[in-house]
């Protein structure tokens, strides 16, 4: 454990735990500076045993930047729209993976809001109701993954760009999935689970383009900026080459040495740097409940552009 003025840090191979944070000091300039430096150092901060209410969740998040509402209005918390919510009384559609795992709330590898031009800077998640089984969150450190790439791969991808598109039906995802088959659960298997979001909603989010490699604006470290869940293809190469590059890079970033698995305990809060880390949710059996709230830190990288410049990016206010 490393002692800081208002908390202690326990560095893990990937990520670091924050213990004994003095919430009474929130907003204090020294505390904010220390926390921010640790966030940049470790990429993921796991605040253990830190019971917060919604106002404190927002206040702690604001120590790391300006907040924004989630671009998808249907997952904003009705009382506090700066919080997005997962699960609870509105569980996700249940899927059956590999003909055996019946799960809700599984989310394959991604970066938050990677289907927008301005990918968010980070997110802070708090799980208020935990299932008895599953419901873990995984993180991959794409700065460490970049550093470990062979030099010829670093050169090969240095100036490549990829196309990304919002997808909410997991059956349509291809990259970075960790199953070989997927189908919707039947009503007998998971009664009442709701269908995926309608396509007119998706049409409001035209495809975007991002660089494969970014230089982190604060640490200067290079990061593999891919977001497998929303990834369509690499631009300006053949289909075969795009597949070859993405298979290699996605497999590489998912090697165990770059991954932290967070098993949620009561009163945990987890903050990730969305520029450096990608993440995934393992999901849980639909007989259990899980309820989570998350803040989103506004993006500042401005790395993206619309794939089709004539498509106007729909603003959240336009959505009913
Ligand atoms: O449910 C989780 O553990 C993580 C879900 C997720 O991708 C997110 O909150 O951004
Ligand atoms: Fe996410």
């Amino acid at each position: 454990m490393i002692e800081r003025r208002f908390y202690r840090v326990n560095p893990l191979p990937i990520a670091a735990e924050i213990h004994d944070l003095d919430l009474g000091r929130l907003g204090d300039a020294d505390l904010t500076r220390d926390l921010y430096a640790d966030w940049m150092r470790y990429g993921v901060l796991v605040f253990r045993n830190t019971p917060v209410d919604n106002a404190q969740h927002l206040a702690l998040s604001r120590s790391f930047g300006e907040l924004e509402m989630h671009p998808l209005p249907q997952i904003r918390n009705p009382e506090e729209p700066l919080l997005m919510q997962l699960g609870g009384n509105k569980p996700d559609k249940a899927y059956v993976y590999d003909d055996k795992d019946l799960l809700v709330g599984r989310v394959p590898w991604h970066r938050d809001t990677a289907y927008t031009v301005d990918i968010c800077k980070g997110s802070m998640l708090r799980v208020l109701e935990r299932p008895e089984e599953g419901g873990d969150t995984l993180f991959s450190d794409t700065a460490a993954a970049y550093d470990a790439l062979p030099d010829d791969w670093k050169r090969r991808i240095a100036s490549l760009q990829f196309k990304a598109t919002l997808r909410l039906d997991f059956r349509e995802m291809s990259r970075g999935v960790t199953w070989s088959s997927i189908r919707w659960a039947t009503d007998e298997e998971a009664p009442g689970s709701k269908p995926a979001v309608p396509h007119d909603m998706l049409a409001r989010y035209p495809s975007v383009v991002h660089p494969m490699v970014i230089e982190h604006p604060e640490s200067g470290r290079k990061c593999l900026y891919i977001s497998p869940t929303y990834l369509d293809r690499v631009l300006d190469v053949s289909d075969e080459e795009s597949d070859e590059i993405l298979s290699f890079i996605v497999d590489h970033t998912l090697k165990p040495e770059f991954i932290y698995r967070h098993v949620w305990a009561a009163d945990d809060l987890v903050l990730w740097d969305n520029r450096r880390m990608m993440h995934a949710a393992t999901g849980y059996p639909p007989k259990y409940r899980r309820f989570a709230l998350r803040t989103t830190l506004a993006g500042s990288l401005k790395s993206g552009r619309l794939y089709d410049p004539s498509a106007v990016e729909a603003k959240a206010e336009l959505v009913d």
Side-chain angles (χ1 to χ4, degrees), residues 49-151:
N49 195 22
T50 308
V52 293
D53 58 20
N54 288 352
Q56 289 169 312
H57 186 169
L58 296 181
L60 182 57
S61 304
R62 284 196 173 102
S63 306
F64 303 93
E66 195 188 317
L67 303 185
E68 67 179 15
M69 286 194 282
H70 194 276
L72 305 179
Q74 72 272 24
I75 57 175
R76 292 180 199 151
N77 179 273
E79 280 88 50
E80 178 42 80
L82 285 171
L83 292 169
M84 71 152 228
Q85 58 187 32
L86 297 161
N89 291 326
K90 294 208 312 194
D92 294 333
K93 179 74 196 167
Y95 292 90
V96 176
Y97 298 87
D98 296 325
D99 286 324
K100 59 178 169 47
D101 300 320
L102 172 62
L103 297 169
V104 290
R106 190 170 189 177
V107 190
W109 288 96
H110 65 286
R111 281 183 158 86
D112 291 332
T113 71
Y115 44 85
T116 65
V117 167
D118 206 7
I119 296 183
C120 67
K121 176 181 175 184
S123 302
M124 189 187 276
L125 185 66
R126 152 175 161 241
V127 176
L128 291 86
E129 279 183 65
R130 285 169 296 132
E132 282 172 39
E133 241 177 78
D136 301 345
T137 312
L138 308 173
F139 296 91
S140 158
D141 184 347
T142 73
Y146 179 87
D147 291 345
L149 273 182
D151 283 344

Side-chain angles (χ1 to χ4, degrees), residues 255-294:
K255 286 181 181 161
E257 60 263 40
F258 308 127
I259 290 179
Y260 166 66
R261 173 185 287 262
H262 185 65
V263 180
W264 290 88
D267 296 321
D268 283 349
L269 275 161
V270 176
L271 167 72
W272 59 94
D273 180 343
N274 198 46
R275 300 160 300 185
R276 171 171 164 190
M277 314 298 296
M278 47 181 207
H279 62 283
T282 62
Y284 52 98
K287 64 180 170 186
Y288 299 120
R289 266 172 65 101
R290 186 177 191 259
F291 180 59
L293 293 171
R294 201 197 82 192

